[in-house]
Amino acid sequence: MRDEPRSGCPINGSVEALGDRWSLIVLRDVIFGGRRHFRDLLANSMEGIASNILSSRLKALVAKGLLTHEEAGRGRRGTYSLTEAGIQTVPIMVALGSWGLRHLPTTPALAIRARLLEEGGPPLWEDLMDELREAHLGVPRPDPGRPRASQLLQEAYERVVAEGHPDGPVRSVDSGLRR
């Protein structure tokens, strides 16, 4: 893996850090799925990531400063946590989801989160990022009385599934933002 980007262009540097599809999918699953352990990321991958690819991408995301990895003792699971840089990919994920809604075929249950984040705009993204900071960095949410963005997203998903729009096997997309 290259340490320095090929040029000083910020788009190039971002693409080099985030550009392969698996890195973005792993970040998506940590951010929106609350998956923080290797086995959980592997077993619950909708796209079917291979274990060697997952291992490689997790190492790369740690090396790029988007995740940290807390080693666990024998017989225990290591935990991956988002860094501030990883948390700040939320607006990028929203932009990708918004673009996908407009230009690609989607399914109702998997599109609802992207639709709500697009409609909620920066205030909703900030609420979600505050939740992620609390769960991953231990920084208390500035307004703990506000409704949780993750709860809004989960309830919307469950409503769509209950209306008969599942995307295959129904499984919880628990935000995992609670500790």
Side-chain angles (χ1 to χ4, degrees):
M1 176 173 34
R2 178 187 296 246
D3 288 335
E4 296 293 320
R6 286 184 284 257
S7 76
C9 172
I11 294 172
N12 172 71
S14 298
V15 168
E16 287 186 27
L18 303 170
D20 73 273
R21 73 178 181 143
W22 290 116
S23 292
L24 289 170
I25 295 303
V26 170
L27 282 174
R28 177 205 65 193
D29 288 350
V30 174
I31 290 170
F32 297 109
R35 299 183 187 120
R36 298 181 67 179
H37 306 283
F38 182 89
R39 288 186 195 270
D40 194 20
L41 286 159
L42 185 64
N44 292 304
S45 169
M46 287 184 287
E47 292 80 12
I49 191 170
S51 62
N52 62 324
I53 301 294
L54 176 58
S55 178
S56 169
R57 292 320 181 271
L58 287 168
K59 287 177 187 170
L61 290 166
V62 169
K64 292 286 185 182
L66 297 163
L67 293 175
T68 60
H69 183 237
E70 179 185 321
E71 293 291 333
R74 184 179 166 105
R76 300 186 64 197
R77 303 183 304 174
T79 302
Y80 290 92
S81 296
L82 292 161
T83 63
E84 183 61 30
I87 291 167
Q88 289 183 19
T89 64
V90 166
I92 296 166
M93 296 291 186
V94 172
L96 287 169
S98 295
W99 186 88
L101 285 171
R102 281 191 274 297
H103 301 289
L104 300 171
T106 61
T107 54
L110 295 178
I112 189 64
R113 179 175 49 227
R115 193 171 315 288
L116 287 175
L117 286 165
E118 181 179 55
E119 291 169 2
L124 182 58
W125 313 344
E126 286 297 327
D127 286 347
L128 180 59
M129 292 190 303
D130 286 341
E131 284 186 59
L132 291 166
R133 287 182 186 101
E134 183 174 64
H136 292 261
L137 304 176
V139 176
R141 290 187 306 141
D143 187 357
R146 284 180 60 94
R148 291 184 173 273
S150 60
Q151 186 174 354
L152 170 76
L153 298 174
Q154 180 66 23
E155 288 169 356
Y157 171 82
E158 290 170 1
R159 246 187 336 272
V160 170
V161 170
E163 292 168 359
H165 301 289
D167 291 308
V170 177
R171 60 178 173 243
S172 175
V173 292
D174 179 20
S175 68
L177 296 175
R178 297 171 300 281
R179 281 201 152 176

